[in-house]
């Protein structure tokens, strides 16, 4: 899977700076930046401020709030100098992303108050691309970043946005900067980094469409797996997530999670929902573990944590799970997690096999 890292940050910054250097002789301070209320000069300074802020969050391992500093440019700084600052802050973010361990997460307020290195890289790149577009629109320049980079951003931090034929046009539409045939204009928007649900020995890390694409194709999804992982059920669930994403029905918090051990950062299994809660507030959950990780209570721990997270949502009244009658090991996991066998709730599984149903209520 192509990573979202320092190389992509450098790619985005280099493309933006190369274009804007063709117009440094213009009066940026008195030219409005596209649809923004800001002028082009302030928008360029904002790009640099975001890049250094994201680098600071990661480098400082800030977990509760933003690191309290701001970027201030010297008086008399010209347009060319601002571009040099963008190059410098971009290099700092790229270096920080490269040297930050995968499991480190730092504070960002939306939507789940923590982001890993790929998330900060993606947010920084998005700021560069969108605000370069704003400045270019104000100055009458033509700007279009690579389709591959835009598709990567959409699949990582815009998982709720149905992909379109043109990734750049889709990204502009998703951020209120353009139109797409058949879709209503966007007036408010947010990116969405992945949800991480903590457990005692594990973290349950939400799978993005980018990671799901790789998992479904036989890759590792960007995770470091124990021997024998991921199990086929995780790959199948990733394929279902990908279909929902392509159809525009994917709700990230009701998708797939990878169970990662805190002690070594190794992925041991997958767990997730079969979809969003139904009209009665019921949501179905499923899981699997790599064979090398079984027998350690990881499935029970993960099931308890993810079920508790679901039941804390106002839209959920109960969580249920099904298993084949002969799968006594799975039944034991479900019961240890607090579920109760539901009388009369057995259902027909694949090829006509009966399944047992279990439910956990808040």
């Amino acid at each position: 899977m192509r990573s979202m890292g320092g190389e992509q940050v450098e790619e985005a910054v280099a493309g933006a700076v190369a274009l804007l250097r063709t117009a440094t002789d213009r009066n940026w301070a008195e030219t409005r930046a596209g649809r923004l209320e800001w002028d082009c000069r302030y928008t360029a300074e904002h790009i640099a401020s975001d890049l250094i802020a994201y680098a600071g969050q990661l480098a400082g391992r800030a977990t509760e709030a933003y690191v309290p500093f701001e970027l201030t440019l010297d008086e008399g700084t010209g347009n060319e100098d601002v571009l040099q600052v963008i190059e410098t802050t971009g290099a700092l973010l790229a270096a920080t992303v490269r040297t930050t361990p995968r499991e480190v997460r730092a504070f960002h307020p939306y939507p789940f108050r923590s982001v890993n290195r790929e998330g900060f890289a993606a947010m920084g790149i998005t700021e560069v691309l969108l605000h370069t577009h704003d400045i270019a629109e104000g100055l009458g320049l033509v700007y279009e970043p690579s389709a591959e980079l835009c598709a990567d951003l959409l699949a990582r931090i815009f998982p709720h946005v149905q992909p379109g034929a043109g990734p750049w046009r889709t990204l502009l539409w998703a951020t209120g900067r353009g139109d797409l045939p058949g879709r209503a204009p966007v007036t408010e928007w947010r990116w969405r980094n992945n949800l991480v649900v903590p457990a005692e020995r594990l973290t349950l890390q939400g799978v993005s469409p980018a990671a799901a694409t790789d998992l479904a194709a036989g890759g590792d999804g960007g995770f470091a797996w124990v021997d024998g992982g991921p199990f086929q059920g995780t790959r199948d669930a990733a394929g279902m997530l990908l279909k929902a994403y392509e159809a525009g029905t994917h709700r990230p918090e009701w998708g797939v999670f990878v169970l990662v051990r805190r002690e070594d950062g190794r992925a041991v299994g997958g767990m997730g929902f079969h979809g969003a809660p139904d009209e009665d507030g019921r949501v179905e959950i499923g899981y699997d573990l790599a064979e090398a990780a079984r027998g350690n209570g990881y499935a029970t721990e993960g099931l308890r944590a993810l079920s508790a997270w679901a039941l804390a949502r106002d839209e959920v009244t109960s969580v249920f799970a099904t298993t084949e009658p002969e799968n006594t090991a799975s039944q034991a996991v479900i019961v240890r997690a607090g579920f109760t066998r539901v009388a009369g709730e057995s259902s027909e599984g694949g090829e006509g096999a009966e399944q047992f149903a279990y439910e956990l209520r808040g």
Side-chain angles (χ1 to χ4, degrees):
M1 183 179 75
R2 170 173 145 130
S3 64
M4 180 65 70
E7 181 180 347
Q8 287 69 43
V9 173
E10 292 168 342
E11 174 190 343
V13 170
V17 169
L19 175 70
L20 297 179
R21 277 213 168 101
T22 66
T24 53
D25 59 337
R26 306 274 292 278
N27 188 342
W28 291 10
E30 294 189 8
T31 304
R32 182 173 172 175
R35 305 185 184 190
L36 302 181
E37 296 297 325
W38 302 341
D39 61 56
C40 292
R41 172 55 183 264
Y42 180 85
T43 305
E45 294 178 6
H46 177 79
I47 294 173
S49 293
D50 281 337
L51 293 172
I52 193 62
Y54 294 156
Q57 291 300 101
L58 272 180
R61 306 292 196 261
T63 59
E64 300 298 328
Y66 284 121
V67 178
F69 74 97
E70 293 185 1
L71 179 68
T72 301
L73 275 61
D74 292 342
E75 186 175 349
T77 299
N79 293 338
E80 174 61 36
D81 299 321
V82 175
L83 296 182
Q84 185 180 15
V85 176
I86 291 175
E87 289 178 316
T88 301
T89 54
L92 290 171
L93 177 58
T96 305
V97 169
R98 286 192 176 103
T99 57
T100 299
R102 186 195 180 280
E103 291 305 302
V104 169
R105 299 185 72 86
F107 174 82
H108 187 275
Y110 189 85
F112 302 119
R113 300 184 67 81
S114 74
V115 180
N116 66 8
R117 66 187 185 189
E118 287 209 349
F120 276 107
M123 291 189 298
I125 293 167
T126 301
E127 296 283 0
V128 171
L129 267 54
L130 295 180
H131 290 315
T132 299
H133 162 80
D134 298 331
I135 297 169
E137 192 172 52
L139 297 174
L141 304 175
V142 177
Y143 175 65
E144 183 167 349
S146 77
E148 182 181 23
L149 185 57
C150 295
D152 282 349
L153 294 174
L154 288 166
R156 280 178 169 81
I157 59 172
F158 293 89
H160 53 294
V161 174
Q162 183 179 15
W168 177 228
R169 288 188 63 195
T170 303
L171 182 60
L172 291 176
W173 169 81
T175 57
R177 289 170 167 83
D179 301 316
L180 277 183
R183 302 198 196 186
V186 173
T187 56
E188 294 184 1
W189 64 274
R190 294 278 193 178
W191 52 49
R192 297 182 68 87
N193 283 286
N194 65 323
L195 169 65
V196 174
V197 177
E200 183 180 353
R201 296 171 297 163
L202 306 169
T203 57
L204 282 66
Q205 303 184 15
V207 173
S208 69
T213 299
D214 189 60
L215 284 168
D220 58 18
F223 296 91
W225 290 85
V226 296
D227 291 343
F231 204 67
Q232 187 59 43
T234 297
R235 297 196 188 281
D236 293 342
M240 291 188 288
L241 184 158
L242 188 58
K243 288 181 180 178
Y245 171 63
E246 292 171 345
T249 59
H250 176 49
R251 290 181 61 184
E253 63 271 35
W254 302 108
V256 180
F257 297 78
V258 168
L259 281 60
V260 179
R261 283 196 305 228
R262 291 180 184 271
E263 66 180 23
D264 60 3
R266 292 280 178 176
V268 299
M271 185 172 291
F273 302 103
H274 292 198
D278 64 19
E279 59 185 12
D280 296 319
R282 287 169 44 120
V283 64
E284 184 173 3
I285 197 169
Y287 68 92
D288 66 20
L289 286 181
E291 291 187 11
R294 296 175 185 174
N296 297 288
Y298 293 139
T300 300
E301 181 179 325
L303 191 56
R304 285 173 178 158
L306 195 56
S307 297
W309 180 88
L311 288 169
R313 314 274 78 76
D314 290 340
E315 59 193 303
V316 176
T317 58
S318 65
V319 181
F320 72 100
T322 59
T323 184
E324 292 76 16
E326 67 273 14
N327 193 345
T328 56
S330 183
Q331 292 164 28
V333 167
I334 294 171
V335 171
R336 284 197 298 270
F339 286 68
T340 302
R341 175 84 183 275
V342 182
E345 286 282 339
S346 298
S347 62
E348 293 298 315
E351 301 181 357
E354 184 187 37
Q355 290 190 318
F356 291 167
Y358 295 81
E359 186 175 47
L360 179 65
R361 303 187 70 87

